[in-house]
Amino acid sequence: QVQLAETGGGSVQAGGSLRLSCVVSGYTSSNYAMGWFRQAPGKEREFVASIPWSGGATNYADSVKGRFIISSVNAKNTVYLQMNNLKLEDTAVYYCAADPSRNLIAPRYWGQGTQVTVSS
């Protein structure tokens, strides 16, 4: 069983930055895929970024490329999402996700979510 706990959400003005953290507990391995999703009001949950738990190639949604950076620090059991140049449309609940299958097509594990609000 894997538990995920997100922190770091909050309110920020457009153009600002936030860093989200996802602390991972329970059993994981280098096979795990880790990532972030988000859900805005009235919209479906969407993929944001992913990274292998062991590090390596990252993947981003087109809407956040060049602005967001995903990283993992295994020694701290933490996955980060650095969000820069935030836009109004980035407002959403952000969820950490994990799956042992090397991809996040249908993540098995989810965090409880953290709210990010971007204002003008």
Side-chain angles (χ1 to χ4, degrees), residues 22-93:
C22 173
V23 176
V24 183
S25 58
Y27 175 77
T28 58
S29 74
S30 60
N31 292 334
Y32 270 67
M34 309 296 299
W36 293 90
F37 288 71
R38 67 185 182 186
Q39 187 168 18
K43 295 187 177 181
E44 293 187 354
R45 190 174 298 187
E46 65 175 3
F47 169 79
V48 175
S50 66
I51 187 171
W53 179 235
S54 58
T58 55
N59 190 28
Y60 297 93
D62 288 343
S63 59
V64 306
K65 279 182 182 176
R67 300 188 298 121
F68 290 12
I69 301 171
I70 188 171
S71 61
S72 64
V73 180
N74 289 14
K76 294 185 176 181
N77 289 330
T78 303
V79 178
Y80 300 98
L81 185 68
Q82 176 68 43
M83 305 185 295
N84 302 318
N85 189 22
L86 282 160
K87 303 178 179 181
L88 298 179
E89 53 265 38
D90 294 320
T91 295
V93 177

